[in-house]
Amino acid sequence: MYEERPSRLPGAVVWRNTPAEAGVGRVLPDGCMDLLWHEGRLLVAGPDTHAYLTEGAAGVWTGLRFRPGTAPALLGVPAHELRDRRVALVDLWPAAEVRRLTARMHAAAGPASGLDELALRLAAAAEPPDPLLRHLVAALDAGRPIAAIAGELGLGARQLHRRSLAAFGYGPKTLARVLRLQRALGLARRGVPFAETAARTGFADQAHLSRDVKELAGVPLRELLG
């Protein structure tokens, strides 16, 4: 069973997932990074370019999903170094610091509240989020052309690509595809016909939507929704 709620950290989401049984799970790309807690360990989920398949024994996972582009500044690691990876926090930070944070997690009222508190501490110690990144995500999510967005931000194409790699793990073109996929799935899950979903989310046609879903999610759209 999966459940989520807004985090105390603005723009973030705290979630909990308890798989009904052991087996393969499918995590779709969403432009985000997550701080994870599982079996007494802190991990970081990097940004995905395609569906990430999980396989193993059933167990409770708790996570805090950061708003796109915000996690690298809090964690001190460029997003592209964690692209398509799940990494133990101890591999990124000094072991003594991770032991201290792990002890705080064990002492918290629960994993969700512990991650919430940890995220707030990280945010308090970091620089404020770059407003440029929020503008970029909003513009891409609205389907704006990348060249036009770069002009609005006063950046060249290469500058925009470099900053996107550090913040999101990939360039603005890939981020735009991921955000478009999430918009399309949101409509399709509400029962909007596939052809209308494609038209409303910026795909050339339903076939284009189907190809993108298969490439990014790894399975056909109908199977994914089922």
Side-chain angles (χ1 to χ4, degrees):
M1 182 179 71
Y2 177 86
E3 55 188 356
E4 65 177 43
R5 64 165 174 80
S7 169
R8 292 162 59 197
L9 179 68
V13 171
V14 178
W15 56 266
R16 174 187 172 97
N17 187 33
T18 308
E21 58 186 11
V24 177
R26 188 178 302 275
V27 180
L28 301 183
D30 57 8
C32 300
M33 292 174 58
D34 295 59
L35 185 61
L36 308 174
W37 176 255
H38 180 63
E39 297 183 345
R41 298 174 65 218
L42 286 164
L43 305 98
V44 177
D48 295 322
T49 58
H50 54 270
Y52 186 91
L53 300 181
T54 63
E55 185 172 7
V60 179
W61 287 82
T62 308
L64 188 140
R65 183 179 307 116
F66 295 98
R67 185 168 56 198
T70 60
L74 274 58
L75 299 174
V77 183
H80 63 83
E81 293 187 8
L82 302 175
R83 184 172 55 232
D84 296 320
R85 299 175 64 198
R86 303 298 185 265
V87 180
L89 188 61
V90 73
D91 292 335
L92 305 176
W93 286 8
E97 176 69 4
V98 176
R99 283 196 297 269
R100 185 179 67 83
L101 296 177
T102 300
R104 284 183 176 273
M105 288 292 300
H106 283 295
S113 60
L115 288 176
D116 237 352
E117 183 63 31
L118 176 52
L120 289 173
R121 288 177 176 272
L122 293 177
E127 294 294 324
D130 186 350
L132 179 150
L133 300 177
R134 294 191 64 178
H135 179 90
L136 174 60
V137 172
L140 290 174
D141 204 23
R144 300 285 308 284
I146 295 173
I149 298 171
E152 292 170 2
L153 297 175
L155 297 175
R158 291 184 178 180
Q159 288 178 302
L160 182 62
H161 190 81
R162 282 197 301 269
R163 294 181 72 162
S164 293
L165 283 178
F168 308 110
Y170 30 63
K173 184 177 179 180
T174 298
L175 178 60
R177 288 186 72 204
V178 167
L179 295 175
R180 184 175 61 183
L181 170 72
Q182 290 294 331
R183 293 198 307 273
L185 291 177
L187 290 179
R189 285 170 177 150
R190 295 200 297 270
V192 177
F194 293 168
E196 182 181 347
T197 291
R200 289 172 58 180
T201 50
F203 289 91
D205 50 28
Q206 184 176 332
H208 182 199
L209 167 64
S210 297
R211 288 194 302 272
D212 247 32
V213 169
K214 184 65 180 297
E215 183 174 339
L216 294 173
V219 293
L221 180 56
R222 291 188 186 279
E223 181 179 338
L224 183 64
L225 296 178

